[in-house]
């Protein structure tokens, strides 16, 4: 398949590129900093552009079968008020509609699931600005007629552990972390099929 990856220079994105290439897909990395791509760069089509640039993105989307997005903000920006995630989602869905690409798998966060207890309440407060932006992002995506899947992972960790549990509309029990690699495998699974289309999915180790 022809897969376009957003956020391909990030921690999840690099795993997405690795997994997609290992499965034989034709991968386009739409990135603003191609120099950050690793050794895989030689096996990719690289399109330079900003995620908010609908015109550039729709041009890069010509001939693609699906989009996988692992866009994110650096921690210090994620802790401040931002509308980047929602704006990027709006640009992505507009570009997809224009280019006639229908399948979208993207990353949100488990903090949007309701939770109990003081620790969760503190965590939710600490991440309140990013959570608001992610919630707005999800609203944008859910309002489209695209075949979307939204994955909500808890804390992501760098590990070769590919274990993952999946629950529709909730976080699997006693789930505190997931590897970037396992998340990438799940998102590529979704892009390859209609699996979990129209669902918000809790994913965790
Ligand atoms: N990390 C966690 O523990 C965790 C937990 C739960 C959910 N999540 C969610 O998972 C997602 C991905 O997380 P991550 O840790 O893999 O992110 P990350 O390592 O910070 O990567 C973010 C990616 O987004 C790209 N990006 C940001 N602004 C852009 C723009 N204007 N145009 C084009 N690309 C842009 C970055 O490109 P540059 O390299 O050019 O900056 C980078 O490739 C985030 O949305 C986050 O909310 C993360």
């Amino acid at each position: 398949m022809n897969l376009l990856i957003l956020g391909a220079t990030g921690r999840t994105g690099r795993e997405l590129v690795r997994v997609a290439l290992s499965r034989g897909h034709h991968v386009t990395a739409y990135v603003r900093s191609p120099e950050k791509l690793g050794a895989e760069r030689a096996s990719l089509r690289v399109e330079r552009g900003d995620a908010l640039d609908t015109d550039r993105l729709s041009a890069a989307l010509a001939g693609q079968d699906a989009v996988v997005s692992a866009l994110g903000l650096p921690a210090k920006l994620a802790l401040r008020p931002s509308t980047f995630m929602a704006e990027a989602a709006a640009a992505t869905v507009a570009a997809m509609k224009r280019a006639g690409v229908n399948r979208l798998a993207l990353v949100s966060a488990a903090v949007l699931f309701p939770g109990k207890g003081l620790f969760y309440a503190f965590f939710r407060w600490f991440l309140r600005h990013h959570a608001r932006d992610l919630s707005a992002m999800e609203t944008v995506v859910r309002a489209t007629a695209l075949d979307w899947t939204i994955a909500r992972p808890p804390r992501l960790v760098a590990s070769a552990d590919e274990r993952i549990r999946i629950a529709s509309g909730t976080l699997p029990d006693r789930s505190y972390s997931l590897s970037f690699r396992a998340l990438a495998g799940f998102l590529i699974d979704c892009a390859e099929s209609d699996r979990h289309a129209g669902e918000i999915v809790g994913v965790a180790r």
Side-chain angles (χ1 to χ4, degrees), residues 41-62:
R41 186 172 173 177
S43 314
L44 298 172
R45 180 177 146 214
V46 179
E47 293 285 342
R48 185 194 286 268
D50 192 282
L52 301 178
D53 187 338
T54 308
D55 291 340
R56 260 189 123 84
L57 183 53
S58 65
L61 277 168

Side-chain angles (χ1 to χ4, degrees), residues 7 9-12 32-33 36 50-51 71-72 84 107-108 130 154 156:
T9 53
R11 292 167 294 178
T12 308
R32 58 182 175 177
S33 331
K36 288 191 189 171
D50 192 282
L71 289 170
F84 170 73
V107 186
S108 180
H130 194 48
L156 292 168

